[in-house]
Amino acid sequence: GVKVPQPLRSDEQPMGLDGLGGLDKVKTETANITYENMCLLARICHGFQIAISIENPENSIFWKVPAVLELLSEIGGFMTVFDNCCHGGTRRKGTSWWANVDWFRQLAIRCDNSHFHEKWTADIVDGKVCFPTHLEAAYPVLLCRRLASIARDKALAFGAIDTFNLE
């Protein structure tokens, strides 16, 4: 009896399904504008030799949006794929992490199913439907630590000074 959100895009129509209306149309068009502006900003940063990265679920139609495909083709870069459960997540969730630098390649690891995974089915919590996708929106703490370590190592490599106290 739970109403499941319907897809607004497909592999064949990554910019939005034909016939969308109302809020679904607004959401899709707003996301498309955001994607195009993100690609524009990424090109500007890349032109100034600023490291950039883009993350989305591995199976996301985002990776098929024409502006995104064009950006990745134009810049090249490095695609790193991993399962969040290998970085502290509770569910097996494939993640694609693209960057114009090779800094994130060390995160590439796929799950061997040797540990427990939380289920992906919705639950009723306090009388409300709770979708697991909502629970997976934040990065796992371990992944955040690993990303912070990468950022720290790169900052030091570029000449930053490590300090252990802020006095």
Side-chain angles (χ1 to χ4, degrees), residues 77-150:
F78 305 87
M79 183 66 79
T80 300
V81 180
F82 59 86
D83 289 315
N84 276 20
C85 60
C86 296
H87 297 289
T90 61
R91 291 175 178 80
R92 184 173 180 167
K93 175 186 170 192
T95 296
S96 292
W97 196 297
W98 174 88
N100 66 340
V101 292
D102 68 351
W103 303 349
F104 304 100
R105 309 274 308 181
Q106 62 191 285
L107 298 174
I109 185 170
R110 301 313 301 252
C111 181
D112 64 3
N113 286 313
S114 64
H115 54 261
F116 172 77
H117 296 105
E118 294 286 341
K119 59 186 177 140
W120 279 103
T121 54
D123 283 323
I124 306 295
V125 178
D126 297 327
K128 296 181 182 178
V129 178
C130 180
F131 292 99
T133 49
H134 173 73
L135 300 172
E136 294 295 319
Y139 294 149
V141 172
L142 180 59
L143 177 59
C144 292
R145 286 186 181 130
R146 289 175 174 167
L147 291 168
S149 177
I150 291 168

Side-chain angles (χ1 to χ4, degrees):
V2 173
K3 184 180 178 192
V4 177
Q6 295 301 305
L8 305 180
R9 304 170 186 271
S10 70
D11 289 339
E12 297 77 28
Q13 294 182 301
M15 298 299 285
L17 299 175
D18 290 337
L20 290 177
L23 186 57
D24 288 342
K25 184 174 179 63
V26 171
K27 284 181 180 180
T28 305
E29 289 176 351
T30 302
N32 290 343
I33 291 167
T34 302
Y35 298 158
E36 292 194 14
N37 283 304
M38 180 269 312
C39 289
L40 175 64
L41 181 59
R43 281 185 181 86
I44 292 168
C45 290
H46 182 71
F48 283 109
Q49 298 181 335
I50 296 171
I52 52 175
S53 70
I54 302 169
E55 176 272 338
N56 237 301
E58 178 182 16
N59 64 352
S60 175
I61 294 173
F62 167 84
W63 298 112
K64 297 180 179 181
V65 169
V68 174
L69 285 171
E70 187 178 309
L71 173 73
L72 301 187
S73 174
E74 179 183 317
I75 293 178
F78 305 87
M79 183 66 79
T80 300
V81 180
F82 59 86
D83 289 315
N84 276 20
C85 60
C86 296
H87 297 289
T90 61
R91 291 175 178 80
R92 184 173 180 167
K93 175 186 170 192
T95 296
S96 292
W97 196 297
W98 174 88
N100 66 340
V101 292
D102 68 351
W103 303 349
F104 304 100
R105 309 274 308 181
Q106 62 191 285
L107 298 174
I109 185 170
R110 301 313 301 252
C111 181
D112 64 3
N113 286 313
S114 64
H115 54 261
F116 172 77
H117 296 105
E118 294 286 341
K119 59 186 177 140
W120 279 103
T121 54
D123 283 323
I124 306 295
V125 178
D126 297 327
K128 296 181 182 178
V129 178
C130 180
F131 292 99
T133 49
H134 173 73
L135 300 172
E136 294 295 319
Y139 294 149
V141 172
L142 180 59
L143 177 59
C144 292
R145 286 186 181 130
R146 289 175 174 167
L147 291 168
S149 177
I150 291 168
R152 179 186 174 276
D153 290 348
K154 294 306 170 185
L156 292 172
F158 283 119
I161 297 170
D162 204 359
T163 153
F164 296 99
N165 112 30
L166 299 176
E167 292 179 9

